[in-house]
Amino acid sequence: MAGRGAVNPGEVRAAVTAVGEWLRDESVAAPSRTELAAAVRGTARSLAADAPGGAVEVRVPPFVAVQCIEGLRHTRGTPPNVVETDARTWLLLATGLLGFEEAVESGVLTASGSRAAEVARWLPVVPL
């Protein structure tokens, strides 16, 4: 990736493509931490670029947390609207291989706050 927060669509697509086989088939060997980090950070930062704002915080620990969706920017303490999940689930969402509601209902994604579900409107980020 270019700089912290910078988004290069070609690099993001390449990072997602590098983990695509694993996303489609969990029995495939997991990508390296570096490959996984690049795909997670790239897609989350792309979401933040596509839906600028600070109303919702998207967290994918330990890789990234971004604020997105037009509205007041949160600066201290726990944000009122949070979407949080693991790296694989985030990438499934970001590529359209998993739906937002399905992820919430299955418990692999937490979406708290009245505006958290608005993230679904901006998914997928990089369709596979």
Side-chain angles (χ1 to χ4, degrees), residues 55-59 78-84 110-113 115-117 119:
V56 179
E57 185 167 289
V58 175
R59 297 175 178 171
T78 301
N81 301 288
V82 176
V83 172
E84 186 168 352
T110 59
S112 61
R115 298 196 59 198
V119 168

Side-chain angles (χ1 to χ4, degrees), residues 39-40 42-48 50-51 56 58 60 66 68-69 83-85 88-104 109-111 115-128:
V40 169
T43 53
R45 291 175 180 156
S46 292
L47 170 68
D50 291 345
V56 179
V58 175
V60 187
V66 297
C68 59
I69 313 291
V83 172
E84 186 168 352
T85 192
R88 187 168 197 280
T89 300
W90 167 252
L91 290 171
L92 290 170
L93 290 163
T95 58
L97 297 174
L98 176 65
F100 191 88
E101 287 301 318
E102 181 184 352
V104 170
L109 174 77
T110 59
R115 298 196 59 198
E118 290 181 37
V119 168
R121 175 176 172 240
W122 299 94
L123 298 174
V125 178
V126 179
L128 275 183

Side-chain angles (χ1 to χ4, degrees), residues 3-102:
R4 181 180 173 99
V7 178
N8 176 314
E11 288 180 6
V12 174
R13 173 145 302 278
V16 170
T17 300
V19 300
E21 187 177 354
W22 172 71
L23 292 174
R24 289 186 185 96
D25 181 359
E26 198 171 8
S27 69
V28 170
S32 71
R33 182 176 171 86
T34 302
E35 290 173 318
L36 189 58
V40 169
R41 290 180 182 132
T43 53
R45 291 175 180 156
S46 292
L47 170 68
D50 291 345
V56 179
E57 185 167 289
V58 175
R59 297 175 178 171
V60 187
F63 299 110
V64 72
V66 297
Q67 290 186 350
C68 59
I69 313 291
E70 187 175 320
L72 296 176
R73 183 169 222 56
H74 181 80
T75 58
R76 295 173 58 173
T78 301
N81 301 288
V82 176
V83 172
E84 186 168 352
T85 192
D86 63 278
R88 187 168 197 280
T89 300
W90 167 252
L91 290 171
L92 290 170
L93 290 163
T95 58
L97 297 174
L98 176 65
F100 191 88
E101 287 301 318
E102 181 184 352

